[in-house]
Amino acid sequence: MRTNVELRFHLSPRSRNYKTGPIPVSTSPRTTCPKICPGRNKWCYAEKGPLSWHWGKVSKGIRGDTWKDFTGKIEALPVNQAWRFAQAGDLPGCGNRVDKRKLSQLVQSNQGKRGWTYTHKPPHMFGNGAAIREANKSGFTINLSANSLDHADKLSRYGSPVVVVVPADHPERSRTPEGRPVIVCPEQTGRVKSCAKCLLCQKPRKPIIAFRLH
Ligand code: SF4
């Protein structure tokens, strides 16, 4: 087994996930997941099925690239290419902490491309919020993941886009307690076929995107 297993990140050139659509997607090792993530051992979709097996290999260092090689692959993507970072795992950095140096390198590699991701790393710790906001300003979209509409209001104060999980019967359009607009992911309502056709999560925007829990 390789050493420095936490440094392995994987890029699939073409996702086979029906929801994502045929775009490049990356996988981060499990060590990047923050301890506070509410999906842990509950509803985290990456802990189930084939994705969980792939994630296990990346996390053990059996599959994937060093950070340098990984960011080189991102840099080599075609101009304007949409791609998703961390279909499993989170931003670089162990647990709750964002590795600012690696995030800055990732943002540089993404120049001219349309990368996006989601994070459960807490913005109020380790200066994470400011680093995430800077990445968003520089074209790499990082959505802060909220656990409730109340939480979505709190996260919105950090100046980055927000997504939230909601019950399966949540209406398509709603508002947070503080009045921010919320729309359910258009793939879940049948309005688009995949992220590749939608890219709402990649765009700077005001509305909060809601994901209905199955
Ligand atoms: S809102 Fe669009 S880009 Fe975001 S998860 Fe849903 S389909 Fe994908």
Side-chain angles (χ1 to χ4, degrees):
M1 188 189 297
R2 292 167 177 169
T3 55
N4 292 331
V5 293
E6 74 279 4
L7 297 180
R8 299 285 157 175
F9 290 73
H10 183 268
L11 185 69
S12 301
R14 190 179 160 93
S15 172
R16 281 180 290 179
N17 181 295
Y18 75 92
K19 170 153 188 169
T20 311
I23 57 172
V25 292
S26 82
T27 304
S28 302
R30 285 181 199 274
T31 51
T32 59
C33 284
K35 291 191 173 56
I36 61 163
C37 180
R40 275 188 167 220
N41 306 319
K42 288 184 187 154
W43 47 257
C44 176
Y45 67 90
E47 288 176 344
K48 299 179 182 79
L51 179 55
S52 71
W53 310 331
H54 168 66
W55 196 20
K57 287 183 180 169
V58 174
S59 301
K60 287 177 185 159
I62 297 167
R63 202 176 267 180
D65 298 299
T66 61
W67 183 252
K68 188 167 181 287
D69 289 347
F70 172 76
T71 50
K73 285 183 177 178
I74 302 303
E75 212 168 315
L77 291 174
V79 172
N80 268 332
Q81 175 69 57
W83 70 283
R84 159 127 186 231
F85 180 81
Q87 62 172 339
D90 208 301
L91 290 172
C94 192
N96 290 342
R97 188 185 291 268
V98 174
D99 183 324
K100 316 291 184 313
R101 187 176 59 87
K102 283 199 170 96
L103 179 56
S104 167
Q105 290 164 345
L106 184 60
V107 168
Q108 280 304 313
S109 302
N110 180 63
Q111 290 299 308
K113 290 98 193 176
R114 292 183 290 168
W116 89 93
T117 192
Y118 312 86
T119 185
H120 280 98
K121 292 191 190 268
H124 65 282
M125 293 175 76
F126 307 117
N128 291 347
I132 290 168
R133 191 167 56 245
E134 278 311 304
N136 275 301
K137 279 189 195 159
S138 303
F140 180 64
T141 309
I142 303 173
N143 294 271
L144 301 177
S145 296
N147 316 323
S148 66
L149 294 178
D150 276 329
H151 190 207
D153 274 331
K154 288 194 179 81
L155 292 183
S156 294
R157 293 168 201 152
Y158 287 90
S160 291
V162 172
V163 297
V164 63
V165 287
V166 291
D169 59 352
H170 193 83
E172 187 171 353
R173 288 179 182 271
S174 61
R175 288 196 177 262
T176 65
E178 291 182 3
R180 293 182 176 86
V182 179
I183 55 171
V184 168
C185 162
E187 188 275 337
Q188 289 191 319
T189 54
R191 294 188 183 275
V192 298
K193 282 213 156 69
S194 66
C195 298
K197 298 276 182 201
C198 170
L199 295 183
L200 201 50
C201 290
Q202 196 278 324
K203 293 170 186 154
R205 52 170 207 279
K206 281 212 169 137
I208 291 164
I209 297 172
F211 297 114
R212 288 174 176 154
L213 282 174
H214 300 294

